[in-house]
Amino acid sequence: MFGITPSARLRPSPYYEATLAEGVCAFTTYNHMLMPTSYGNPLEEYWRLINGVSQWDVAVERQVQLRGPDAGRLAQILAPRDLSSCKVGQGKYVPLVNHQGVLINDPICLKLADDLYWLSIADSNIWFWASAIAAERGLRVDVSEPDVSPLAIQGPKAEDVVAHLCGDWVRGLKYFWFREFDLGGIPLVVARSGWSKQGGFELYLRDGSQGTKLWNLVKEAGQPWGIGPGNPNWSERVESGLISFGGDTDGQTNPYEVRMGKYVDLHVPDDTVGIQALRRISAAGPKRHSLGIILDAGDPVSPGFSWNPIYKDGVKVGDLTNCVFSIRVQKNLGFALISRDCVVGDRVQAMVGGVMQSGVLTELPFV
Ligand code: THG
């Protein structure tokens, strides 16, 4: 169809050569990098994630490193979730908001040491944000983007593969916890995490020159379990109700509207960015909420690039922020960011690809 013009602005991942060798055939951009989105066989890639094990180039999940005596202070100033109980070796999913309480990213915060944190970010520039806030508040902390590139291993067989590769200790890792590990000269952080609900691990590679080597070691270790290439899977993530920052959120979305209220602690210190706004929003009650929508149409629909309006009784009540044909449900499923006046069971219409579709609102997740 069309190609990609190489440039230093659009950085390839350390796994780029390896994914080309696997037959990658589509990319998206994320954090000014390329991320594989297809190897040409969607059904095979989907079922490999659901029933087996899949390896993903997710180097685009960049780390914003906070290092110095005030690293923990800065992390808590940036994140409206209580990090005071976070242990070295533990990760926590944290919403980041601006001063108005609007969601600006949803990273995993990893505490590597008392003076060393990583924010493993979604698609927005938190490096600028964190360094500006550190400077304005006069904090003793160095903010940088280190040479760290996650490779995800996802699916019910992922634990067997990672145990085979790194040792049985990985079986004891709790969700979002991690350990530093040297894999025959390849420096890694091994975490139980990943953007699917099928279970798995992420290997944070700390030396970009060894991307192909790591990819091939994982591929080799996974052979007995039929490992193959994949990527964050759109159908699985919608079925599982996982939010995509920037896709399911806009310039007005607060955490309460997208089922992230449980990751906000209103008692964090008053100098946490956005906490005053979140206290107000929480007290007043958010105006929108996220529900699932199941379209009646049996054939896959094409939602296009943008959000699609949702109507009830002819009045616009919200937006369809994504829509995908679910392989397990065999229906078009989507997320509705919609007025709190609309509830589960309501029948609504959504304009998708220029066609008015009917559907019903449901709880999330779907599966
Ligand atoms: N891995 C790493 N970095 C990342 C992502 C990742 N950065 C960007 C993006 N993904 C961050 N977003 C999410 C969103 C959801 C989850 C993980 C990262 C997730 N959520 C579970 C859920 O919603 O059920 C559990 C969260 C919890 O209860 O604590 O796993 O994938 N390195």
Side-chain angles (χ1 to χ4, degrees), residues 30 61 93 106 108 120-122 175-176 194-195 197 202 204 242 263:
Y30 195 100
E61 292 160 354
Y93 182 42
D106 68 333
I108 297 162
S120 183
I121 59 170
Y175 204 70
F176 285 149
W195 207 58
K197 291 302 253 183
E202 291 180 314
Y204 291 76
L242 285 174
Y263 308 118

Side-chain angles (χ1 to χ4, degrees), residues 57-133:
D57 171 0
V58 287
V60 298
E61 292 160 354
R62 303 315 286 170
Q63 310 310 302
V64 175
Q65 177 169 290
L66 318 178
R67 184 198 280 279
D70 289 333
R73 280 276 300 125
L74 179 58
Q76 188 63 83
I77 285 169
L78 297 172
R81 180 174 185 180
D82 189 349
L83 297 176
S84 62
S85 62
C86 190
K87 306 275 189 307
V88 172
Q90 187 176 9
K92 277 181 184 270
Y93 182 42
V94 295
L96 302 187
V97 298
N98 67 13
H99 300 77
Q100 286 74 44
V102 168
L103 198 62
I104 59 166
N105 206 294
D106 68 333
I108 297 162
C109 174
L110 296 88
K111 181 174 180 178
L112 287 106
D114 285 330
D115 63 352
L116 181 61
Y117 287 71
W118 287 349
L119 296 173
S120 183
I121 59 170
D123 186 24
S124 71
N125 195 326
I126 295 305
W127 184 86
F128 279 167
W129 178 256
S131 27
I133 289 179

Side-chain angles (χ1 to χ4, degrees), residues 304-317:
F305 282 86
S306 56
W307 287 9
N308 292 276
I310 299 176
Y311 302 92
K312 188 179 158 195
D313 304 326
V315 178
K316 190 186 169 206
V317 286

